[in-house]
Amino acid sequence: MFKHLRNRRLFVLMVSFILFIAVIGFSISSKAGLTTPEKFLRDTTGYVQQWFYKPAGYIAGLFQAVGDLRKVYEENDRLRMTAAAYARDKVEYNAIRQENERLQEKLKFTEEQKKIYDYNYLIAQVVAVSPDAYNRTLTINLGAREGIRERMAVISEKGMIGYVSKVSELTSTVMPITSLNSEESGISATVLGKQNQSFGILSGYNSESQRILMTKIAADDPIKKDDIVITSGLGNVFPRGMVIGTVESIQDSDIGLTRIASIKLSADFDHLSEVFVVQTSGTAE
């Protein structure tokens, strides 16, 4: 019985081996096309793979897009910082350039003035302006420590501003000629190029016409329209040669013996940031 069973198992094993060899031979045979089981297996595998491949590809693309978006954001952030730095540097450059040009003009002005008159010009910053419309004064950042004294003339590169009315150790108060009345003014003036022929007194500022009056002009004075009016230096208060303004009109006075000239001031009093305090040889220390 055991022998019969062993022979049967051997028979089954031999049959299985023969079938296995037959299947392999059939699979590697040179006949064209695939078998039905192979086709079924391949189609099933491909169908299943496409459902895994598409989401995987989408997710991979999504991660890549997020990475690219982050790179673009970082690049834009760097560009914004670069643009902001460029704009800041450009503003600073323009400010420095304008400041340099402005100071060059002021330096040129003082050098030209020194060639004409033996004056020393102390540049001062305007640090405050009085809000009182009836007592409009300026405060500058120079005082007694820098040799500033009362009644010193204050000018800009365009023309006469006023004079120092009060002095402290570190600052000074400037009374502009636009705030002077006829009693306070008394600034003697003449005409550029006609210093020995023309003479008058500045006698107050008209706020409505924004002109200063030059009075006590002799009837035969050669002053005429468009002449440049300057300080004469008489009275030892204001140095000579300081530009006041331009003659705009001339008329006879009330009594008819003298004439009055309306002077348009050369200085711009609305945009004063820096002024010059004039030191003459008699006032400089």
Side-chain angles (χ1 to χ4, degrees):
M1 179 178 179
F2 289 104
K3 183 178 179 180
H4 178 73
L5 182 61
R6 185 169 58 248
N7 291 335
R8 186 178 179 181
R9 289 178 178 176
L10 181 61
F11 177 76
V12 173
L13 181 62
M14 290 178 63
V15 171
S16 299
F17 179 73
I18 293 171
L19 290 175
F20 177 72
I21 296 299
V23 170
I24 293 176
F26 183 78
S27 299
I28 62 176
S29 64
S30 59
K31 67 177 182 177
L34 299 174
T35 64
T36 301
E38 288 177 329
K39 289 181 180 180
F40 176 76
L41 181 61
R42 177 167 295 195
D43 291 341
T44 304
T45 303
Y47 182 77
V48 173
Q49 282 180 339
Q50 73 175 348
W51 290 105
F52 286 98
Y53 176 77
K54 288 183 178 179
Y58 176 76
I59 294 174
L62 179 62
F63 279 110
Q64 183 177 2
V66 171
D68 293 340
L69 183 63
R70 182 177 182 84
K71 291 180 180 179
V72 171
Y73 175 80
E74 292 175 351
E75 182 68 20
N76 288 340
D77 193 43
R78 287 193 296 269
L79 291 175
R80 282 195 297 268
M81 293 177 63
T82 302
Y86 171 77
R88 183 181 65 252
D89 293 342
K90 184 177 181 180
V91 170
E92 291 178 356
Y93 167 77
N94 289 335
I96 292 173
R97 180 177 57 83
Q98 293 174 359
E99 179 74 4
N100 182 63
E101 292 176 353
R102 186 172 57 82
L103 292 177
Q104 287 290 342
E105 291 178 359
K106 293 182 182 295
L107 178 62
K108 180 181 177 181
F109 168 77
T110 58
E111 290 177 346
E112 291 176 348
Q113 292 298 307
K114 286 180 180 180
K115 293 178 182 179
I116 303 174
Y117 305 108
D118 186 20
Y119 301 150
N120 185 37
Y121 295 86
L122 302 178
I123 188 169
Q125 301 287 333
V126 177
V127 297
V129 178
S130 171
D132 188 354
Y134 298 97
N135 186 26
R136 184 79 67 180
T137 58
L138 312 174
T139 302
I140 59 176
N141 65 340
L142 297 183
R145 186 179 60 178
E146 289 78 22
I148 305 300
R149 297 180 182 177
E150 292 184 3
R151 304 299 290 183
M152 280 185 171
V154 179
I155 65 172
S156 70
E157 62 269 26
K158 293 183 178 180
M160 187 81 174
I161 298 297
Y163 67 89
V164 177
S165 59
K166 296 179 182 178
V167 180
S168 62
E169 188 65 21
L170 301 178
T171 61
S172 299
T173 301
V174 177
M175 178 68 69
I177 57 177
T178 55
S179 297
L180 301 176
N181 55 41
S182 57
E183 291 79 14
E184 293 174 330
S185 179
I187 302 174
S188 60
T190 185
V191 174
L192 182 64
K194 305 174 184 177
Q195 287 91 327
N196 296 327
Q197 301 169 285
S198 185
F199 176 81
I201 299 294
L202 299 186
S203 300
Y205 179 76
N206 188 324
S207 58
E208 294 182 359
S209 64
Q210 297 184 347
R211 301 293 183 267
I212 196 167
L213 298 179
M214 181 176 173
T215 62
K216 299 183 180 181
I217 303 172
D220 59 347
D221 193 301
I223 187 173
K224 61 181 177 53
K225 188 175 184 290
D226 295 329
D227 278 347
I228 297 176
V229 178
I230 61 175
T231 55
S232 67
L234 300 176
N236 296 323
V237 177
F238 292 94
R240 63 190 177 95
M242 305 291 103
V243 176
I244 298 171
T246 305
V247 177
E248 193 171 74
S249 63
I250 305 172
Q251 63 184 24
D252 293 333
S253 64
D254 293 338
I255 59 177
L257 300 177
T258 59
R259 292 188 293 169
I260 300 174
S262 177
I263 311 298
K264 180 181 179 180
L265 297 174
S266 296
D268 184 2
F269 291 83
D270 294 330
H271 303 89
L272 287 176
S273 59
E274 294 169 334
V275 294
F276 297 98
V277 181
V278 184
Q279 281 185 325
T280 62
S281 56
T283 59
E285 294 182 348

